[in-house]
Amino acid sequence: MTPEKHTERCDGCGKEAELTETHGNEFCRECVELAATIQKKPETIKRICSLIKSDLHHEQSTTSECGLSVLQDLPEVLDAVRYRTRDRELNTWYVSVSELDGNPVEIFASTAFDRDDHLQSRISNLTTITRLVSLILRNVFLGEVLTLEKTIKQLQRSSRQKNDLPDMLTNVLRSYRRDVEE
Ligand SMILES: [Zn+2]
């Protein structure tokens, strides 16, 4: 899978930058490198954290040093199982679940009738559900940190038309972002 690139706020440092999607997060170049180092040398990072007695180390000492041991690397290629299913109006949907060690870590849904007008709002609602559930699953099984920013981003990307339900929720939640200069 080729990572897609675009300019938005980095999930790591919060800077506006060209981002690369890695493992469900979107990082700037610096943070991509940092994340790679953390994944490659978790033991070294942990030791350095305790040696320099960083704030991070103190704040999270109840969970683990630097909170690093909970982070699991998501491989580039995941096994996926596709389910064919129908809703109550007999529209056919395909639900794909990506698995890691037998655990569901991401879920997607699609329909053969993507262009169908009356399905647009249902598609955006289902996209909202699957994007948010995927966020939760990555949190549960991979230790990915949840933030308001990520929640809003997933809602925003689920929207297909102005003022559909995810767009409406995005606009409401946006007012709670504290550190945004808009
Ligand atoms: Zn960054």
Side-chain angles (χ1 to χ4, degrees):
M1 216 191 310
T2 342
E4 48 175 287
K5 286 192 172 174
H6 39 101
T7 303
E8 258 179 287
R9 282 162 66 87
C10 170
D11 287 335
C13 62
K15 272 190 307 198
E16 284 281 345
E18 188 174 285
L19 303 182
T20 307
E21 185 153 1
T22 30
H23 307 158
N25 294 295
E26 291 170 312
F27 291 138
C28 70
R29 211 138 136 240
E30 238 172 88
C31 291
V32 165
E33 282 167 24
L34 197 56
T37 309
I38 292 171
Q39 277 164 348
K40 255 182 273 165
K41 302 178 176 174
E43 292 309 316
T44 310
I45 305 279
K46 259 195 254 179
R47 211 172 319 124
I48 293 173
C49 279
S50 59
L51 285 173
I52 62 174
K53 305 224 182 306
S54 69
D55 290 346
L56 187 67
H57 172 63
H58 285 295
E59 277 169 23
Q60 305 202 343
S61 54
T62 47
T63 50
S64 66
E65 286 178 277
C66 300
L68 283 175
S69 59
V70 292
L71 278 176
Q72 197 182 336
D73 195 5
L74 191 61
E76 289 294 312
V77 182
L78 287 174
D79 291 330
V81 185
R82 196 167 88 147
Y83 299 85
R84 188 172 184 270
T85 180
R86 280 182 181 183
D87 62 20
R88 54 187 291 143
E89 283 159 34
L90 303 180
N91 302 299
T92 300
W93 298 86
Y94 299 97
V95 178
S96 298
V97 178
S98 305
E99 297 179 350
L100 186 67
D101 302 328
N103 293 317
V105 291
E106 276 176 330
I107 186 165
F108 309 92
S110 59
T111 166
F113 309 101
D114 201 53
R115 304 258 163 239
D116 196 326
D117 255 359
H118 85 278
L119 280 182
Q120 293 306 304
S121 68
R122 198 174 303 185
I123 292 169
S124 67
N125 293 348
L126 187 58
T127 307
T128 306
I129 295 168
T130 55
R131 280 179 173 274
L132 295 180
V133 169
S134 294
L135 197 60
I136 295 168
L137 291 175
R138 291 196 302 267
N139 170 265
V140 171
F141 293 110
L142 304 170
E144 183 184 321
V145 176
L146 295 178
T147 62
L148 177 60
E149 196 68 38
K150 284 187 189 178
T151 309
I152 293 172
K153 198 185 276 179
Q154 295 305 332
L155 279 173
Q156 201 171 15
R157 296 212 174 135
S158 305
S159 167
R160 293 174 77 91
Q161 290 163 311
K162 201 167 167 43
N163 292 329
D164 59 10
L165 292 176
D167 187 40
M168 207 179 74
L169 298 180
T170 303
N171 290 331
V172 171
L173 279 180
R174 257 195 194 134
S175 60
Y176 291 92
R177 286 201 297 204
R178 259 173 267 147
D179 53 348
V180 174
E181 59 286 46
E182 274 188 330

